[in-house]
Amino acid sequence: MRLDKFLTDAGVATRTEAARAAREGKISVNNIIIRKSGTHVDPVCDKIIYCGNVVTYREFTYIMLNKPEGYVSSTDDPKSPNVLMLLPERLRRIGLFPCGRLDKNTVGLLLLTNNGPLSHKLLAPKNHVEKKYRFRVSDVLSAEDIDRLESGVDIGGYVTAPCRLEMTGENEGFISITEGKYHQIKLMMSAVGTHITFLERVSFGPIELDNSLERGSWRYLSENEQSLIENAMR
Ligand code: URA
């Protein structure tokens, strides 16, 4: 594999940045400075250092984004800014896409990856991966509303699967669902006569939103989180 492809796939540099770093003597392979970014490397066995950092080969990239309001998850709406715009240029070229969608005004945990098969499994309804959201609604939820939401409500010809609510106040709490219908939580709340005024995803399967990550910021999943998510679908 070419050294520049290795570095772009790893998301650490664009091809141009890799070529410049090589010319400037900032890349070494097995402790030898390499000045040509087209040099052939072994992605698994070679020790590659880019600007002082060891770059480990990973077939796939996994990113945790704390989605802010105002960004759409899909890339096919040319009128609105999309979540990929929150990533640096080098990470926009490696085929990352959001694993599931959050509405434009929903905030919180969004996973991005270029592992298509894994994303597909995480989103497949039959795998019942749990998504937990912090919510606030415009009206007080009664015990009966909570019962109805937990048992399943009709959201326009479809009855939702059982879910869990933990109330932290009379009009706010957490809701955990295992499905991902379009506008599901908003429609569920409408079905009991109220509406969502705030919605934040706080976990997706085994991955929890990192509270130290500011809205609009991202980080790579840790080794542990990557294993958790890969093993969850084995
Ligand atoms: N349910 C919704 O209504 N919106 C989201 O963004 C996610 C779940």
Side-chain angles (χ1 to χ4, degrees), residues 7-32:
L7 293 169
T8 51
D9 282 2
V12 299
T14 61
R15 232 161 230 248
T16 316
E17 286 165 350
R20 192 184 319 122
R23 276 197 307 276
E24 292 172 358
K26 292 180 176 164
I27 305 179
S28 69
V29 177
N30 302 327
N31 302 320
I32 296 167

Side-chain angles (χ1 to χ4, degrees), residues 102-103 106 133 183-186 199:
L102 290 179
D103 295 338
T106 301
Y133 296 81
H183 293 329
Q184 176 156 344
I185 296 173
K186 288 178 184 153
L199 194 59

Side-chain angles (χ1 to χ4, degrees), residues 7-18 20 61 63 82-96 218 220:
L7 293 169
T8 51
D9 282 2
V12 299
T14 61
R15 232 161 230 248
T16 316
E17 286 165 350
R20 192 184 319 122
T61 299
I63 301 254
N82 70 65
V83 290
L84 285 177
M85 294 173 177
L86 295 162
L87 302 180
E89 182 66 26
R90 64 179 195 277
L91 288 175
R92 286 189 224 153
R93 297 158 176 245
I94 56 169
L96 291 173
W218 63 276
Y220 293 105

Side-chain angles (χ1 to χ4, degrees), residues 101-107 133 177 180-187 196 199 201:
R101 292 188 176 185
L102 290 179
D103 295 338
K104 192 171 178 177
N105 52 0
T106 301
V107 298
Y133 296 81
I177 59 173
K181 300 279 174 209
Y182 187 57
H183 293 329
Q184 176 156 344
I185 296 173
K186 288 178 184 153
L187 294 172
I196 287 283
L199 194 59
R201 183 149 69 193

Side-chain angles (χ1 to χ4, degrees), residues 55-182:
V55 184
T56 359
Y57 181 71
R58 280 227 153 239
E59 191 179 359
F60 298 114
T61 299
Y62 303 95
I63 301 254
M64 173 190 294
L65 173 74
N66 187 346
K67 181 189 171 300
E69 255 189 87
Y71 285 77
V72 293
S73 305
S74 83
T75 46
D76 37 58
D77 173 357
K79 284 193 230 97
S80 308
N82 70 65
V83 290
L84 285 177
M85 294 173 177
L86 295 162
L87 302 180
E89 182 66 26
R90 64 179 195 277
L91 288 175
R92 286 189 224 153
R93 297 158 176 245
I94 56 169
L96 291 173
F97 53 87
C99 182
R101 292 188 176 185
L102 290 179
D103 295 338
K104 192 171 178 177
N105 52 0
T106 301
V107 298
L109 175 60
L110 190 63
L111 296 175
L112 296 116
T113 182
N114 46 11
N115 185 342
L118 180 66
S119 175
H120 192 74
K121 281 189 204 158
L122 288 166
L123 298 172
K126 69 172 179 1
N127 289 327
H128 308 291
V129 172
E130 190 173 86
K131 277 87 54 180
K132 184 171 179 180
Y133 296 81
R134 184 195 307 277
F135 72 90
R136 198 168 308 121
V137 282
S138 49
D139 304 271
V140 172
L141 286 182
S142 66
E144 191 199 330
D145 293 332
I146 296 168
D147 261 7
R148 284 184 59 209
L149 287 163
E150 289 193 321
S151 313
V153 284
D154 189 330
I155 56 168
Y158 175 81
V159 177
T160 55
C163 71
R164 265 184 314 119
L165 267 83
E166 298 158 58
M167 298 303 287
T168 52
E170 52 188 13
N171 68 338
E172 60 185 26
F174 293 95
I175 179 166
S176 303
I177 59 173
T178 54
E179 305 169 288
K181 300 279 174 209
Y182 187 57

